[in-house]
Amino acid sequence: MTGYDANEPRFRCVLPFEAEPAEVRLLRRATVAQLGQWGVSSAADEVELLVTELVTNVIKHVGAGAPATLILEWRYGRLRVEVHDKSRTLPTPVRAHCDEECGRGLHLLAALAMDWGTVLTTVGKSVWCEIAAQPTAVCRRAERARGALERYREDHPVMAVEGRSKAVLLEESAVELIADLLHWTAARGQDPDDVLDRAQTHYEAEAAVAA
């Protein structure tokens, strides 16, 4: 993918569901929460509409109760929304003057999304779309911290205990790194508690803005 930074954040969330009207609201809520965790809440309104349309199309055209899966993926500055179902009938856009409802949702995808498409899979099909989504300052801080922790862990191979997940190792690295910083602060004659209080204030202020 020419022009993309391979070091940019990439996250993926898989949400299986049954094609029922009540699921639409739950999936919208789960989507908003997930985007908040990824630091791209600014795209929530558009993605909610796209999720609603894609899931509703499964209910209408595949059948109520049909098993399906919503996949959210953030990569290379784009949010990708996919809905997989077990029907191999690809949706087709209808002309604007047609009285039928079938296919009208594809016009909404085309209007909102940077790109969209349909793909036949081994068990059915996938309808997907992508929109631009830039991370907030809070998310950029989280990615910067993860990079620092990765480098810190590489310098402390004794912490790489077999059987522990990467997430656990990074959490332990975070504790060790914070402890090192507090020792460094104290060695410079500063109060570690004061530094922690200031860091907490910065964190709470930025988290409030992103909420």
Side-chain angles (χ1 to χ4, degrees):
M1 294 186 176
T2 304
Y4 290 127
D5 183 355
N7 294 319
E8 286 188 8
R10 178 173 181 173
F11 302 108
R12 183 178 173 88
C13 175
V14 179
L15 300 169
F17 67 94
E18 292 186 355
E20 299 288 354
E23 289 288 286
V24 177
R25 178 174 59 84
L26 297 177
L27 289 170
R28 286 167 59 104
R29 183 183 301 172
T31 295
V32 171
Q34 188 64 70
L35 297 187
Q37 291 182 18
W38 290 346
V40 285
S41 295
S42 59
D45 289 344
E46 291 178 272
V47 177
E48 273 194 279
L49 286 175
L50 294 170
V51 167
T52 298
E53 187 59 44
L54 291 174
V55 174
T56 300
N57 280 346
V58 177
I59 298 172
K60 289 181 178 179
H61 308 305
V62 180
T69 303
L70 169 65
I71 298 177
L72 306 171
E73 188 171 33
W74 180 30
R75 56 179 179 176
Y76 311 125
R78 288 191 176 192
L79 269 171
R80 184 180 178 95
V81 182
E82 300 178 17
V83 170
H84 294 246
D85 60 60
K86 294 186 177 181
S87 169
R88 295 183 65 81
T89 302
L90 296 178
T92 303
V94 297
R95 294 182 180 179
H97 66 269
C98 181
D99 292 332
E100 297 178 0
E101 293 184 2
C102 179
R104 288 186 180 276
L106 299 184
H107 295 295
L108 176 62
L109 297 189
L112 291 178
M114 298 175 62
D115 197 7
W116 71 275
T118 59
V119 180
L120 288 175
T121 66
T122 56
V123 297
K125 72 173 180 298
S126 165
V127 182
W128 61 270
C129 57
E130 293 183 343
I131 65 171
Q134 296 302 319
T136 63
V138 173
C139 187
R140 286 193 291 269
R141 277 185 176 271
E143 287 304 307
R144 188 170 64 192
R146 186 170 67 174
L149 290 173
E150 291 279 8
R151 293 189 294 272
Y152 184 86
R153 188 167 66 88
E154 289 175 359
D155 292 337
H156 296 75
V158 66
M159 298 180 64
V161 180
E162 184 177 356
R164 292 186 179 180
S165 69
K166 182 177 180 180
V168 171
L169 291 174
L170 286 179
E171 183 177 336
E172 292 181 353
S173 295
V175 173
E176 292 294 327
L177 178 56
I178 292 171
D180 284 352
L181 290 172
L182 292 179
H183 281 293
W184 176 82
T185 299
R188 292 172 58 87
Q190 296 176 304
D191 183 357
D193 287 335
D194 179 58
V195 172
L196 284 175
D197 287 342
R198 288 161 58 191
Q200 182 72 17
T201 298
H202 279 288
Y203 164 76
E204 291 176 350
E206 292 189 351
V209 171

